[in-house]
mmCIF file with all atom_site columns, all heavy atoms in Angstrom:
data_model
loop_
_atom_site.group_PDB
_atom_site.id
_atom_site.type_symbol
_atom_site.label_atom_id
_atom_site.label_alt_id
_atom_site.label_comp_id
_atom_site.label_asym_id
_atom_site.label_entity_id
_atom_site.label_seq_id
_atom_site.pdbx_PDB_ins_code
_atom_site.Cartn_x
_atom_site.Cartn_y
_atom_site.Cartn_z
_atom_site.occupancy
_atom_site.B_iso_or_equiv
_atom_site.pdbx_formal_charge
_atom_site.auth_seq_id
_atom_site.auth_comp_id
_atom_site.auth_asym_id
_atom_site.auth_atom_id
_atom_site.pdbx_PDB_model_num
ATOM 1   N N   . PHE A 1 15  ? 89.777  -64.456 -136.331 1.00 0.00 ? 43  PHE A N   1
ATOM 2   C CA  . PHE A 1 15  ? 90.540  -63.925 -137.468 1.00 0.00 ? 43  PHE A CA  1
ATOM 3   C C   . PHE A 1 15  ? 90.316  -64.911 -138.595 1.00 0.00 ? 43  PHE A C   1
ATOM 4   O O   . PHE A 1 15  ? 90.838  -66.023 -138.534 1.00 0.00 ? 43  PHE A O   1
ATOM 5   C CB  . PHE A 1 15  ? 92.034  -63.806 -137.148 1.00 0.00 ? 43  PHE A CB  1
ATOM 6   C CG  . PHE A 1 15  ? 92.357  -62.678 -136.207 1.00 0.00 ? 43  PHE A CG  1
ATOM 7   C CD1 . PHE A 1 15  ? 92.878  -62.930 -134.942 1.00 0.00 ? 43  PHE A CD1 1
ATOM 8   C CD2 . PHE A 1 15  ? 92.159  -61.362 -136.587 1.00 0.00 ? 43  PHE A CD2 1
ATOM 9   C CE1 . PHE A 1 15  ? 93.178  -61.887 -134.081 1.00 0.00 ? 43  PHE A CE1 1
ATOM 10  C CE2 . PHE A 1 15  ? 92.453  -60.310 -135.729 1.00 0.00 ? 43  PHE A CE2 1
ATOM 11  C CZ  . PHE A 1 15  ? 92.971  -60.577 -134.474 1.00 0.00 ? 43  PHE A CZ  1
ATOM 12  N N   . LYS A 1 49  ? 93.753  -55.507 -127.152 1.00 0.00 ? 77  LYS A N   1
ATOM 13  C CA  . LYS A 1 49  ? 93.522  -54.675 -128.349 1.00 0.00 ? 77  LYS A CA  1
ATOM 14  C C   . LYS A 1 49  ? 92.026  -54.437 -128.539 1.00 0.00 ? 77  LYS A C   1
ATOM 15  O O   . LYS A 1 49  ? 91.615  -53.395 -129.044 1.00 0.00 ? 77  LYS A O   1
ATOM 16  C CB  . LYS A 1 49  ? 94.125  -55.342 -129.584 1.00 0.00 ? 77  LYS A CB  1
ATOM 17  C CG  . LYS A 1 49  ? 95.643  -55.154 -129.666 1.00 0.00 ? 77  LYS A CG  1
ATOM 18  C CD  . LYS A 1 49  ? 96.198  -55.832 -130.901 1.00 0.00 ? 77  LYS A CD  1
ATOM 19  C CE  . LYS A 1 49  ? 97.702  -55.694 -130.980 1.00 0.00 ? 77  LYS A CE  1
ATOM 20  N NZ  . LYS A 1 49  ? 98.261  -56.623 -131.983 1.00 0.00 ? 77  LYS A NZ  1
ATOM 21  N N   . TYR A 1 54  ? 91.376  -51.121 -130.686 1.00 0.00 ? 82  TYR A N   1
ATOM 22  C CA  . TYR A 1 54  ? 92.192  -51.426 -131.871 1.00 0.00 ? 82  TYR A CA  1
ATOM 23  C C   . TYR A 1 54  ? 91.511  -52.477 -132.739 1.00 0.00 ? 82  TYR A C   1
ATOM 24  O O   . TYR A 1 54  ? 91.528  -52.407 -133.957 1.00 0.00 ? 82  TYR A O   1
ATOM 25  C CB  . TYR A 1 54  ? 93.564  -51.904 -131.399 1.00 0.00 ? 82  TYR A CB  1
ATOM 26  C CG  . TYR A 1 54  ? 94.567  -52.156 -132.478 1.00 0.00 ? 82  TYR A CG  1
ATOM 27  C CD1 . TYR A 1 54  ? 95.407  -51.130 -132.936 1.00 0.00 ? 82  TYR A CD1 1
ATOM 28  C CD2 . TYR A 1 54  ? 94.707  -53.427 -133.039 1.00 0.00 ? 82  TYR A CD2 1
ATOM 29  C CE1 . TYR A 1 54  ? 96.339  -51.372 -133.923 1.00 0.00 ? 82  TYR A CE1 1
ATOM 30  C CE2 . TYR A 1 54  ? 95.639  -53.673 -134.038 1.00 0.00 ? 82  TYR A CE2 1
ATOM 31  C CZ  . TYR A 1 54  ? 96.447  -52.642 -134.469 1.00 0.00 ? 82  TYR A CZ  1
ATOM 32  O OH  . TYR A 1 54  ? 97.384  -52.879 -135.454 1.00 0.00 ? 82  TYR A OH  1
ATOM 33  N N   . HIS A 1 55  ? 90.933  -53.495 -132.104 1.00 0.00 ? 83  HIS A N   1
ATOM 34  C CA  . HIS A 1 55  ? 90.149  -54.516 -132.814 1.00 0.00 ? 83  HIS A CA  1
ATOM 35  C C   . HIS A 1 55  ? 88.706  -54.441 -132.356 1.00 0.00 ? 83  HIS A C   1
ATOM 36  O O   . HIS A 1 55  ? 88.437  -54.062 -131.215 1.00 0.00 ? 83  HIS A O   1
ATOM 37  C CB  . HIS A 1 55  ? 90.608  -55.929 -132.424 1.00 0.00 ? 83  HIS A CB  1
ATOM 38  C CG  . HIS A 1 55  ? 91.878  -56.366 -133.032 1.00 0.00 ? 83  HIS A CG  1
ATOM 39  N ND1 . HIS A 1 55  ? 92.220  -56.135 -134.340 1.00 0.00 ? 83  HIS A ND1 1
ATOM 40  C CD2 . HIS A 1 55  ? 92.904  -57.099 -132.510 1.00 0.00 ? 83  HIS A CD2 1
ATOM 41  C CE1 . HIS A 1 55  ? 93.404  -56.684 -134.582 1.00 0.00 ? 83  HIS A CE1 1
ATOM 42  N NE2 . HIS A 1 55  ? 93.848  -57.264 -133.488 1.00 0.00 ? 83  HIS A NE2 1
ATOM 43  N N   . THR A 1 345 ? 108.725 -56.569 -140.000 1.00 0.00 ? 373 THR A N   1
ATOM 44  C CA  . THR A 1 345 ? 107.408 -57.016 -139.567 1.00 0.00 ? 373 THR A CA  1
ATOM 45  C C   . THR A 1 345 ? 106.294 -56.699 -140.565 1.00 0.00 ? 373 THR A C   1
ATOM 46  O O   . THR A 1 345 ? 105.226 -57.269 -140.486 1.00 0.00 ? 373 THR A O   1
ATOM 47  C CB  . THR A 1 345 ? 107.031 -56.429 -138.193 1.00 0.00 ? 373 THR A CB  1
ATOM 48  O OG1 . THR A 1 345 ? 107.280 -55.035 -138.236 1.00 0.00 ? 373 THR A OG1 1
ATOM 49  C CG2 . THR A 1 345 ? 107.835 -57.052 -137.090 1.00 0.00 ? 373 THR A CG2 1
ATOM 50  N N   . LEU A 1 349 ? 105.678 -63.957 -143.782 1.00 0.00 ? 377 LEU A N   1
ATOM 51  C CA  . LEU A 1 349 ? 106.473 -64.898 -142.994 1.00 0.00 ? 377 LEU A CA  1
ATOM 52  C C   . LEU A 1 349 ? 107.578 -65.583 -143.797 1.00 0.00 ? 377 LEU A C   1
ATOM 53  O O   . LEU A 1 349 ? 108.726 -65.600 -143.346 1.00 0.00 ? 377 LEU A O   1
ATOM 54  C CB  . LEU A 1 349 ? 105.548 -65.939 -142.348 1.00 0.00 ? 377 LEU A CB  1
ATOM 55  C CG  . LEU A 1 349 ? 104.466 -65.351 -141.441 1.00 0.00 ? 377 LEU A CG  1
ATOM 56  C CD1 . LEU A 1 349 ? 103.507 -66.439 -140.985 1.00 0.00 ? 377 LEU A CD1 1
ATOM 57  C CD2 . LEU A 1 349 ? 105.100 -64.671 -140.237 1.00 0.00 ? 377 LEU A CD2 1
ATOM 58  N N   . GLN A 1 385 ? 103.336 -70.773 -133.698 1.00 0.00 ? 413 GLN A N   1
ATOM 59  C CA  . GLN A 1 385 ? 101.897 -70.784 -133.942 1.00 0.00 ? 413 GLN A CA  1
ATOM 60  C C   . GLN A 1 385 ? 101.610 -69.873 -135.128 1.00 0.00 ? 413 GLN A C   1
ATOM 61  O O   . GLN A 1 385 ? 101.702 -68.664 -135.007 1.00 0.00 ? 413 GLN A O   1
ATOM 62  C CB  . GLN A 1 385 ? 101.203 -70.253 -132.708 1.00 0.00 ? 413 GLN A CB  1
ATOM 63  C CG  . GLN A 1 385 ? 99.911  -70.913 -132.434 1.00 0.00 ? 413 GLN A CG  1
ATOM 64  C CD  . GLN A 1 385 ? 99.312  -70.357 -131.158 1.00 0.00 ? 413 GLN A CD  1
ATOM 65  O OE1 . GLN A 1 385 ? 99.958  -69.625 -130.414 1.00 0.00 ? 413 GLN A OE1 1
ATOM 66  N NE2 . GLN A 1 385 ? 98.086  -70.686 -130.900 1.00 0.00 ? 413 GLN A NE2 1
ATOM 67  N N   . PRO A 1 387 ? 98.779  -68.902 -137.840 1.00 0.00 ? 415 PRO A N   1
ATOM 68  C CA  . PRO A 1 387 ? 97.390  -69.101 -138.258 1.00 0.00 ? 415 PRO A CA  1
ATOM 69  C C   . PRO A 1 387 ? 97.246  -69.176 -139.780 1.00 0.00 ? 415 PRO A C   1
ATOM 70  O O   . PRO A 1 387 ? 96.312  -69.778 -140.281 1.00 0.00 ? 415 PRO A O   1
ATOM 71  C CB  . PRO A 1 387 ? 96.644  -67.881 -137.717 1.00 0.00 ? 415 PRO A CB  1
ATOM 72  C CG  . PRO A 1 387 ? 97.627  -67.093 -136.921 1.00 0.00 ? 415 PRO A CG  1
ATOM 73  C CD  . PRO A 1 387 ? 98.992  -67.577 -137.216 1.00 0.00 ? 415 PRO A CD  1
ATOM 74  N N   . LEU A 1 391 ? 100.556 -64.543 -143.777 1.00 0.00 ? 419 LEU A N   1
ATOM 75  C CA  . LEU A 1 391 ? 100.399 -63.380 -142.884 1.00 0.00 ? 419 LEU A CA  1
ATOM 76  C C   . LEU A 1 391 ? 101.657 -62.522 -142.854 1.00 0.00 ? 419 LEU A C   1
ATOM 77  O O   . LEU A 1 391 ? 102.755 -62.997 -143.106 1.00 0.00 ? 419 LEU A O   1
ATOM 78  C CB  . LEU A 1 391 ? 100.152 -63.850 -141.451 1.00 0.00 ? 419 LEU A CB  1
ATOM 79  C CG  . LEU A 1 391 ? 98.755  -64.283 -141.027 1.00 0.00 ? 419 LEU A CG  1
ATOM 80  C CD1 . LEU A 1 391 ? 98.763  -64.532 -139.533 1.00 0.00 ? 419 LEU A CD1 1
ATOM 81  C CD2 . LEU A 1 391 ? 97.723  -63.228 -141.379 1.00 0.00 ? 419 LEU A CD2 1
ATOM 82  N N   . ARG A 1 392 ? 101.470 -61.258 -142.530 1.00 0.00 ? 420 ARG A N   1
ATOM 83  C CA  . ARG A 1 392 ? 102.619 -60.408 -142.222 1.00 0.00 ? 420 ARG A CA  1
ATOM 84  C C   . ARG A 1 392 ? 103.182 -60.839 -140.878 1.00 0.00 ? 420 ARG A C   1
ATOM 85  O O   . ARG A 1 392 ? 102.446 -61.278 -140.004 1.00 0.00 ? 420 ARG A O   1
ATOM 86  C CB  . ARG A 1 392 ? 102.154 -58.956 -142.085 1.00 0.00 ? 420 ARG A CB  1
ATOM 87  C CG  . ARG A 1 392 ? 101.896 -58.243 -143.374 1.00 0.00 ? 420 ARG A CG  1
ATOM 88  C CD  . ARG A 1 392 ? 101.156 -56.959 -143.147 1.00 0.00 ? 420 ARG A CD  1
ATOM 89  N NE  . ARG A 1 392 ? 101.670 -56.176 -142.017 1.00 0.00 ? 420 ARG A NE  1
ATOM 90  C CZ  . ARG A 1 392 ? 101.680 -54.848 -141.978 1.00 0.00 ? 420 ARG A CZ  1
ATOM 91  N NH1 . ARG A 1 392 ? 101.220 -54.164 -142.989 1.00 0.00 ? 420 ARG A NH1 1
ATOM 92  N NH2 . ARG A 1 392 ? 102.119 -54.218 -140.928 1.00 0.00 ? 420 ARG A NH2 1
ATOM 93  N N   . ALA A 1 393 ? 104.487 -60.633 -140.707 1.00 0.00 ? 421 ALA A N   1
ATOM 94  C CA  . ALA A 1 393 ? 105.128 -61.099 -139.475 1.00 0.00 ? 421 ALA A CA  1
ATOM 95  C C   . ALA A 1 393 ? 104.527 -60.450 -138.231 1.00 0.00 ? 421 ALA A C   1
ATOM 96  O O   . ALA A 1 393 ? 104.465 -61.063 -137.160 1.00 0.00 ? 421 ALA A O   1
ATOM 97  C CB  . ALA A 1 393 ? 106.619 -60.852 -139.538 1.00 0.00 ? 421 ALA A CB  1
ATOM 98  N N   . ASP A 1 394 ? 104.045 -59.217 -138.358 1.00 0.00 ? 422 ASP A N   1
ATOM 99  C CA  . ASP A 1 394 ? 103.522 -58.569 -137.143 1.00 0.00 ? 422 ASP A CA  1
ATOM 100 C C   . ASP A 1 394 ? 102.150 -59.107 -136.725 1.00 0.00 ? 422 ASP A C   1
ATOM 101 O O   . ASP A 1 394 ? 101.614 -58.691 -135.701 1.00 0.00 ? 422 ASP A O   1
ATOM 102 C CB  . ASP A 1 394 ? 103.504 -57.037 -137.276 1.00 0.00 ? 422 ASP A CB  1
ATOM 103 C CG  . ASP A 1 394 ? 102.684 -56.557 -138.455 1.00 0.00 ? 422 ASP A CG  1
ATOM 104 O OD1 . ASP A 1 394 ? 102.107 -57.399 -139.169 1.00 0.00 ? 422 ASP A OD1 1
ATOM 105 O OD2 . ASP A 1 394 ? 102.631 -55.333 -138.664 1.00 0.00 ? 422 ASP A OD2 1
ATOM 106 N N   . LYS A 1 395 ? 101.595 -60.033 -137.489 1.00 0.00 ? 423 LYS A N   1
ATOM 107 C CA  . LYS A 1 395 ? 100.324 -60.638 -137.078 1.00 0.00 ? 423 LYS A CA  1
ATOM 108 C C   . LYS A 1 395 ? 100.556 -61.872 -136.200 1.00 0.00 ? 423 LYS A C   1
ATOM 109 O O   . LYS A 1 395 ? 99.621  -62.449 -135.657 1.00 0.00 ? 423 LYS A O   1
ATOM 110 C CB  . LYS A 1 395 ? 99.483  -61.027 -138.299 1.00 0.00 ? 423 LYS A CB  1
ATOM 111 C CG  . LYS A 1 395 ? 99.092  -59.834 -139.159 1.00 0.00 ? 423 LYS A CG  1
ATOM 112 C CD  . LYS A 1 395 ? 98.089  -58.945 -138.431 1.00 0.00 ? 423 LYS A CD  1
ATOM 113 C CE  . LYS A 1 395 ? 97.584  -57.806 -139.295 1.00 0.00 ? 423 LYS A CE  1
ATOM 114 N NZ  . LYS A 1 395 ? 98.547  -56.708 -139.429 1.00 0.00 ? 423 LYS A NZ  1
ATOM 115 N N   . LEU A 1 396 ? 101.809 -62.300 -136.084 1.00 0.00 ? 424 LEU A N   1
ATOM 116 C CA  . LEU A 1 396 ? 102.095 -63.373 -135.127 1.00 0.00 ? 424 LEU A CA  1
ATOM 117 C C   . LEU A 1 396 ? 102.121 -62.773 -133.733 1.00 0.00 ? 424 LEU A C   1
ATOM 118 O O   . LEU A 1 396 ? 102.433 -61.603 -133.563 1.00 0.00 ? 424 LEU A O   1
ATOM 119 C CB  . LEU A 1 396 ? 103.475 -63.979 -135.397 1.00 0.00 ? 424 LEU A CB  1
ATOM 120 C CG  . LEU A 1 396 ? 103.680 -64.810 -136.650 1.00 0.00 ? 424 LEU A CG  1
ATOM 121 C CD1 . LEU A 1 396 ? 105.057 -65.459 -136.587 1.00 0.00 ? 424 LEU A CD1 1
ATOM 122 C CD2 . LEU A 1 396 ? 102.611 -65.880 -136.796 1.00 0.00 ? 424 LEU A CD2 1
ATOM 123 N N   . SER A 1 397 ? 101.843 -63.583 -132.724 1.00 0.00 ? 425 SER A N   1
ATOM 124 C CA  . SER A 1 397 ? 101.952 -63.074 -131.357 1.00 0.00 ? 425 SER A CA  1
ATOM 125 C C   . SER A 1 397 ? 103.425 -62.792 -131.068 1.00 0.00 ? 425 SER A C   1
ATOM 126 O O   . SER A 1 397 ? 104.314 -63.324 -131.747 1.00 0.00 ? 425 SER A O   1
ATOM 127 C CB  . SER A 1 397 ? 101.382 -64.085 -130.372 1.00 0.00 ? 425 SER A CB  1
ATOM 128 O OG  . SER A 1 397 ? 102.345 -65.065 -130.054 1.00 0.00 ? 425 SER A OG  1
ATOM 129 N N   . GLY A 1 398 ? 103.688 -61.948 -130.066 1.00 0.00 ? 426 GLY A N   1
ATOM 130 C CA  . GLY A 1 398 ? 105.055 -61.508 -129.780 1.00 0.00 ? 426 GLY A CA  1
ATOM 131 C C   . GLY A 1 398 ? 106.036 -62.664 -129.624 1.00 0.00 ? 426 GLY A C   1
ATOM 132 O O   . GLY A 1 398 ? 107.110 -62.685 -130.225 1.00 0.00 ? 426 GLY A O   1
ATOM 133 N N   . GLN A 1 401 ? 106.782 -64.363 -132.838 1.00 0.00 ? 429 GLN A N   1
ATOM 134 C CA  . GLN A 1 401 ? 107.729 -63.593 -133.660 1.00 0.00 ? 429 GLN A CA  1
ATOM 135 C C   . GLN A 1 401 ? 109.162 -63.913 -133.228 1.00 0.00 ? 429 GLN A C   1
ATOM 136 O O   . GLN A 1 401 ? 110.066 -64.044 -134.047 1.00 0.00 ? 429 GLN A O   1
ATOM 137 C CB  . GLN A 1 401 ? 107.494 -62.090 -133.496 1.00 0.00 ? 429 GLN A CB  1
ATOM 138 C CG  . GLN A 1 401 ? 106.226 -61.605 -134.157 1.00 0.00 ? 429 GLN A CG  1
ATOM 139 C CD  . GLN A 1 401 ? 106.021 -60.100 -133.961 1.00 0.00 ? 429 GLN A CD  1
ATOM 140 O OE1 . GLN A 1 401 ? 106.978 -59.341 -133.850 1.00 0.00 ? 429 GLN A OE1 1
ATOM 141 N NE2 . GLN A 1 401 ? 104.781 -59.680 -133.908 1.00 0.00 ? 429 GLN A NE2 1
#
Side-chain angles (χ1 to χ4, degrees):
F43 287 115
K77 282 180 182 166
Y82 185 89
H83 284 318
T373 49
L377 302 173
Q413 215 178 350
L419 279 187
R420 282 167 44 146
D422 58 1
K423 298 291 185 283
L424 290 188
S425 83
Q429 288 180 30

